[in-house]
Amino acid sequence: METGDPLVTADWLKQNISAPDIRVVDATYYAPFVKAEKTGREEWAESHIPGAVHFDIDAIKAGGTDLPHMLPDPIMFSSRVRKLGIGDGNRVVVYDNNNFCAAARVWWMLRVMGHNDVTVLDGGLNAWKAEGGELEDMPPVAVERHFTARVRSDLVKDTAQVAAASESRSHGIVDARPAGRFTGEAPEPREGLASGHIPGSMSAPSSGLINPDGTLKSVSELKGLLPDHDAPIITTCGSGVTAAILALGYARLGNWDVAVYDGSWTEWASDPSRPVATGAA
C-alpha cells in the first residue's frame, strides 16, 4: 500500500541523486495545440538534470489507435523503459519543465505497470535550478535493466467503465480541463470536438492545483480544491495527461487509488452517441 508524499523536493534530490538506485526521468511534454517553440525532447537535449533520460509520452504509447498517447500494453512498456535504464529496484524521480505536464502522467504510467517506487520532483526543473542543481546537455548512457510489469488495472478506466460510473454514480468523475471547456462556454483545442463534460462529473482545473512557482499546493489547500477526497475517483481531462495531475493531488491527500480515464474527453466526445452535459456541474 502506497503511503507518504508522492513528491520530493529539489533539496532531497540533490542529496540523493548519486545513490545507485536512483533514476531521474525528464518527462517534459507540450501538446501540439500549444505550439511551443521546442518539443520536450529538444528542451531535454539542451539542458537536463544530470543522468536524466527523456520519457516521451508520444513515443511510449499504444499503437493502432488515433487517440493520443494511450497507455501501451505491458510488453511494449517494459521494453521501452528497460532501454531507458529503468527497472526493478529503482527509485524513480520524474520531473518536467511544464507544470507537471507530463511528469504526473509518467508517474501514473509507472504505477499502472506496478512500479510503486516513483515520485515527482516538486516544482520540476525550475525548482532544481533554484536549488543550485547542476545541469548537463549530454545524453546519459542508460544501462538496460529488467522491468517486471504487474499491471494495476484499477488505476486506468476505459469508456465503458466511465459511462457506467456516470450512470450509477459509483465513482466521482473529476475533470481537469479549464472551467470554460467543462461548461461548454469555451471551445476544445482539438478540431471537431464539442466542449462540455461527462454527465455527473465535477470540475477541478489542474492549473488551480499549482502554485505560481510551479510547485503543487499544500495538503490543506488541495483539500479545498479536490472534491470527495476519500471516495472512489476517476479523473479525466482532454487526453489523459492533466488528469494525472489530479491523481497526483489526490495521492498527496492519501487517496492513492484514483483512476485515470485514459482516452478522456478526446475519446468521449468523438462519439456523437455519448451524452454531453454543459453548464456547471
Side-chain angles (χ1 to χ4, degrees):
M1 183 176 180
E2 295 166 289
T3 59
D5 196 334
L7 304 175
V8 295
T9 65
D11 176 67
W12 183 93
L13 183 58
K14 279 189 70 177
Q15 298 300 319
N16 291 274
I17 195 168
S18 297
D21 60 337
I22 290 285
R23 296 294 179 270
V24 183
V25 176
D26 185 320
T28 303
Y29 167 79
Y30 299 97
F33 56 77
V34 173
K35 298 181 179 178
E37 292 183 3
K38 299 174 184 176
T39 66
R41 187 170 186 83
E42 287 170 341
E43 286 195 2
W44 165 82
E46 290 182 1
S47 180
H48 54 264
I49 294 174
V53 294
H54 187 254
F55 188 118
D56 185 351
I57 63 170
D58 275 341
I60 303 178
K61 64 176 184 178
T65 176
D66 293 332
L67 295 170
H69 39 252
M70 291 286 284
L71 190 71
D73 65 59
I75 295 175
M76 188 270 204
F77 186 88
S78 299
S79 173
R80 295 296 183 88
V81 299
R82 283 201 307 264
K83 293 176 181 177
L84 293 177
I86 300 169
D88 300 344
N90 283 152
R91 289 184 288 167
V92 181
V93 179
V94 191
Y95 76 92
D96 61 41
N97 195 27
N98 186 26
N99 289 332
F100 297 97
C101 186
R105 169 81 184 185
V106 174
W107 166 83
W108 169 77
M109 292 174 73
L110 283 162
R111 293 176 59 242
V112 171
M113 295 297 171
H115 195 91
N116 291 335
D117 205 346
V118 52
T119 51
V120 176
L121 176 61
D122 198 15
L125 188 62
N126 285 337
W128 176 259
K129 292 190 288 188
E131 193 65 33
E134 296 181 359
L135 298 170
E136 65 181 16
D137 58 6
M138 293 296 292
V141 178
V143 177
E144 187 168 335
R145 292 178 58 88
H146 181 73
F147 183 95
T148 305
R150 301 178 180 89
V151 178
R152 283 195 58 185
S153 58
D154 61 305
L155 293 181
V156 56
K157 300 297 182 184
D158 61 22
T159 303
Q161 292 169 316
V162 173
S166 172
E167 293 175 7
S168 68
R169 302 295 195 266
S170 62
H171 293 66
I173 303 173
V174 187
D175 195 317
R177 292 173 301 151
R181 289 164 60 189
F182 179 91
T183 62
E185 297 169 299
E188 285 293 312
R190 291 178 173 83
E191 186 177 351
L193 282 185
S195 56
H197 59 269
I198 299 166
S201 59
M202 299 169 280
S203 177
S206 61
S207 59
L209 276 61
I210 302 169
N211 293 310
D213 65 356
T215 58
L216 200 67
K217 292 199 170 181
S218 67
V219 168
S220 61
E221 290 171 308
L222 290 172
K223 285 181 177 178
L225 294 167
L226 294 171
D228 299 343
H229 313 148
D230 300 321
I233 295 290
I234 301 169
T235 62
T236 182
C237 61
S239 62
V241 178
T242 58
I245 300 176
L246 299 189
L248 183 67
Y250 276 108
R252 194 166 215 193
L253 295 180
N255 188 347
W256 289 84
D257 297 325
V258 169
V260 170
Y261 175 21
D262 198 17
S264 281
W265 190 248
T266 300
E267 183 175 26
W268 184 273
S270 65
D271 185 343
S273 71
R274 295 190 187 109
V276 172
T278 55

